[in-house]
Amino acid sequence: MKPFNTVKLFASLAFQLLGASVVSGQALIPAVLRNYQPVTDERLRKPEGENWLMNRRTYDGWGYSPLDQITPANVARLRP
C-alpha cells in the first residue's frame, strides 16, 4: 500500500476549490463566490423557496418548501 500523500491531497483540494476557469483575464474565482448573494435580514425573514438559509427554513421553524416539482401525483415515480 502506498503511503498517504497529504501535500498532494491538499494541493488537489485547493485546485478544485479554486478551479474556476480564467475568463477574459479575470482572476480565478470559484463559481460559488461569483454567484454569492449576501444574507440580509429580509432574506432571512422571507427566504427564496430554493434557498434554505437556516434550519427549518424560516424563523418560525415552518420547514415547509414552497417548491412544487414533487407532488402527490408524481411522488410514486421518484427514483434515487
Side-chain angles (χ1 to χ4, degrees):
M1 183 177 230
K2 291 183 179 182
F4 187 73
N5 188 336
T6 306
V7 173
K8 189 174 181 180
L9 173 67
F10 284 124
S12 173
L13 290 173
F15 181 75
Q16 289 176 20
L17 288 173
L18 299 174
S21 61
V22 176
V23 178
S24 304
Q26 294 178 357
L28 293 175
I29 301 172
V32 69
L33 295 179
R34 282 194 305 265
N35 300 324
Y36 175 75
Q37 296 176 345
V39 177
T40 62
D41 288 339
E42 178 61 26
R43 285 185 72 206
L44 288 172
R45 283 191 292 276
K46 189 176 179 187
E48 304 88 7
E50 68 277 4
N51 289 326
W52 289 44
L53 302 173
M54 64 184 85
N55 291 337
R56 303 294 297 166
R57 187 171 171 268
T58 60
Y59 277 126
D60 62 359
W62 182 241
Y64 170 79
S65 174
L67 302 179
D68 59 3
Q69 289 91 347
I70 299 174
T71 66
N74 69 12
V75 73
R77 296 189 308 261
L78 292 177
R79 298 287 181 257

